[in-house]
Amino acid sequence: MNTAIVEVDRPWLAMSSMLIGAFVGMLSETSLNIALPTLGRVFSVGTGTLQWLVTGYMLMIGIVLPFSSLISKWFSTRQIIIFALADFTVGALISGFANSFGMLLFGRMIQGIGTGLILPLMFTVAMLIFPPKKLGLAMGINALVIMFAPAIGPTVTGIVLGALSWRAVFFMFAIILIVGLLFAFIGLKNVSRITRPKIDLPSVLGSVIGFSSIVAGTSLASEAGWTSPRVLGLLAVGIIVLVLYAGRQLKLDEPVLNLRVFAKPAFRTGAILVMIDFGIILSAMYLMPQFIQNAMLLPVAMTGLIMLPGGIVNALVSAFAGRMYDRMGAKLLARLGFVIALIGVLMFCFADSKSSLAYVIAAHVVLMIGCPLAMSPSQTHALNALAGPESADGSTIMNTLQQIVGAIATALATSFLAMGQASFPASSEALRFEHGVRYGFCFTLALALIGFIVSLRLKDRKQSEDVDFD
């Protein structure tokens, strides 16, 4: 078969709006970390409150992602993408014009809805409108956008903050997205089949309440403490609701998330490794720019440049690791990746305000070699354990849980940072922050160690196939 499932005259024009939206969405996910110290000073809020700009954004993506398939059966591709781009644009403008932290956070969470709609649909549309002989290139471009945006995000934001102001970062998002909207109006056609299936309301409520409560509980713990009744109550509600939600998904003929795929050992192990790896990346990328600005006392533009080499290495290793999987499988690459990541995190644990820039850059580069070296093979290993429609289910589950785990990991890193600051009664705020960041990186170090231990359960591809399909 040499023709596309859905014939489109100009497929790249049809994809352009989604590529732009995904680029801005992923750029936004990592770039704002570098602006947090500036925003903390502007709005006079602490680290525990600031982290909501990161966790809130990822939480909204994680809430929307599970419903992407259902939404695409109720609305046309054109309607969803135009709404998502307009939604993100409005959210960016609200944040850009914000005169309070609450308004800034509200705009930020609106942005997360747009990203959660665009990311899964971009891959789905590519599989429909490109013929098999061109599908590899299309999927490669999609993956490159997702890898490249986070790589340059901190640098671009650092330059914008240094030259202009924090508001310009959000206005930059809005301008790029308006271009995406123009492409959507010009070239995007509907390619999905609208069937309007029944909506299972308990599943919708369970997903939203369960995930929101867990993320909210871990996020509030950095300021209220882990023994706070509010924190314990939110965590208890989240756990109970998610247990009920999971039980319902296993009983439904058409679940929102097909959790039955976790019965396959290869998928289960690979997915867990992906979650841990993403937690390492998000917690480290949250702590590092704040360490550079608040402990080393370097300007924000310099912070972006310091993080550029590691970002580029991350993108390059991600592409390289995918190819190496075909030759070596996941077992060796994942284990090696977590060992290298351990070394990188250890280097950060020993960093202080007097460390050289070369040392900090080297630690970041080492970490950005290890994490993608483990990520791509683990993800491919997990999805290769599934067949047919289960592959799409597995991809949705991993994309959803990545955002939720990323939000929780960022919240926990913030909590450890706060504990470290509280336990170090120094007169210098920079020294207290340095000590707090070291506590935060100890949490990241624990994740890397757990990841390596779990990677020991990976089997060779042949063994994995024997376990799963016999």
Side-chain angles (χ1 to χ4, degrees):
M1 181 179 175
N2 294 317
T3 59
I5 297 173
V6 178
E7 292 289 342
V8 174
D9 292 336
R10 290 175 289 180
W12 283 114
L13 180 61
M15 287 295 299
S16 58
S17 59
M18 287 172 278
L19 290 170
I20 291 171
F23 177 81
V24 175
M26 296 309 295
L27 186 76
S28 178
E29 185 161 78
T30 58
S31 64
L32 204 67
N33 286 339
I34 205 169
L36 293 180
T38 301
L39 294 170
R41 290 190 293 271
V42 169
F43 292 106
S44 300
V45 295
T47 308
T49 303
L50 274 176
Q51 49 108 12
W52 272 101
L53 295 175
V54 179
T55 58
Y57 179 75
M58 288 189 288
L59 172 62
M60 295 309 297
I61 298 175
I63 286 174
V64 172
L65 266 170
F67 306 114
S68 58
S69 177
L70 180 64
I71 292 170
S72 66
K73 293 172 184 174
W74 271 84
F75 301 97
S76 71
T77 309
R78 182 180 171 87
Q79 288 172 329
I80 296 170
I81 295 302
I82 288 175
F83 171 81
L85 291 169
D87 166 89
F88 203 126
T89 304
V90 170
L93 290 173
I94 290 173
S95 294
F97 286 112
N99 54 16
S100 67
F101 182 79
M103 185 175 174
L104 177 65
L105 177 59
F106 178 67
R108 183 73 173 151
M109 295 181 79
I110 288 177
Q111 294 166 45
I113 296 172
T115 303
L117 289 170
I118 292 171
L119 284 179
L121 203 56
M122 179 176 69
F123 287 96
T124 301
V125 171
M127 294 180 72
L128 291 173
I129 68 175
F130 285 97
K133 64 180 180 180
K134 295 183 179 180
L135 186 57
L137 173 63
M139 298 300 274
I141 295 295
N142 287 352
L144 179 61
V145 166
I146 289 176
M147 289 188 296
F148 184 63
I152 66 167
T155 304
V156 171
T157 303
I159 293 171
V160 172
L161 283 169
L164 300 169
S165 73
W166 64 269
R167 297 183 188 275
V169 175
F170 295 103
F171 295 147
M172 174 185 70
F173 294 160
I175 292 169
I176 299 173
L177 288 163
I178 288 170
V179 175
L181 267 171
L182 292 175
F183 277 111
F185 281 115
I186 293 170
L188 185 58
K189 308 296 181 184
N190 182 47
V191 297
S192 62
R193 183 184 174 195
I194 300 176
T195 58
R196 291 192 168 88
K198 180 183 177 182
I199 298 174
D200 184 57
L201 187 58
S203 293
V204 173
L205 293 175
S207 178
V208 173
I209 295 172
F211 289 131
S212 299
S213 298
I214 292 289
V215 173
T218 52
S219 298
L220 289 172
S222 60
E223 290 189 338
W226 287 97
T227 58
S228 163
R230 185 170 44 160
V231 170
L232 293 175
L234 283 168
L235 292 176
V237 168
I239 292 170
I240 292 169
V241 171
L242 286 179
V243 168
L244 295 173
Y245 169 79
R248 186 169 183 81
Q249 300 314 296
L250 294 172
K251 293 176 182 177
L252 290 173
D253 293 331
E254 294 185 14
V256 174
L257 282 181
N258 183 15
L259 300 181
R260 296 181 185 91
V261 295
F262 278 106
K264 298 183 181 294
F267 175 80
R268 186 168 62 245
T269 303
I272 290 172
L273 290 175
V274 169
M275 302 308 113
I276 294 172
D277 204 349
F278 201 67
I280 295 169
I281 294 171
L282 265 294
S283 60
M285 291 307 94
Y286 173 75
L287 293 167
M288 182 182 171
Q290 296 193 77
F291 168 74
I292 295 170
Q293 293 176 65
N294 291 339
M296 299 183 74
L297 303 178
L298 294 174
V300 65
M302 178 69 75
T303 306
L305 294 174
I306 290 170
M307 297 182 71
L308 181 59
I312 293 173
V313 167
N314 183 7
L316 293 174
V317 175
S318 295
F320 167 78
R323 294 183 180 182
M324 289 300 292
Y325 173 84
D326 294 330
R327 299 180 186 177
M328 304 170 62
K331 183 170 72 171
L332 178 60
L333 291 174
R335 292 174 185 176
L336 180 61
F338 279 111
V339 169
I340 295 173
L342 267 169
I343 294 170
V345 180
L346 271 172
M347 291 176 71
F348 274 119
C349 288
F350 287 106
D352 58 34
S353 57
K354 296 182 176 61
S355 296
S356 67
L357 291 183
Y359 179 88
V360 175
I361 292 171
H364 187 214
V365 168
V366 171
L367 184 62
M368 290 298 100
I369 292 173
C371 287
L373 193 62
M375 173 74 79
S376 183
S378 297
Q379 190 168 31
T380 307
H381 179 84
L383 293 178
N384 279 351
L386 307 177
E390 284 188 341
S391 297
D393 294 330
S395 180
T396 300
I397 286 171
M398 283 201 289
N399 285 328
T400 300
L401 293 182
Q402 270 184 250
Q403 301 301 324
I404 299 299
V405 168
I408 292 171
T410 302
L412 287 170
T414 305
S415 184
F416 278 92
L417 188 155
M419 283 191 285
Q421 286 179 294
S423 67
F424 193 71
S427 56
S428 167
E429 185 62 33
L431 284 175
R432 291 181 67 246
F433 203 90
E434 174 190 317
H435 194 74
V437 166
R438 191 168 291 122
Y439 266 54
F441 273 116
C442 285
F443 163 70
T444 309
L445 183 69
L447 285 180
L449 184 59
I450 293 169
F452 174 73
I453 293 171
V454 175
S455 72
L456 298 177
R457 295 179 59 84
L458 283 173
K459 296 179 171 60
D460 292 323
R461 277 174 288 185
K462 181 64 175 69
Q463 291 175 300
S464 179
E465 289 165 5
D466 290 342
V467 169
D468 285 341
F469 299 114
D470 281 359

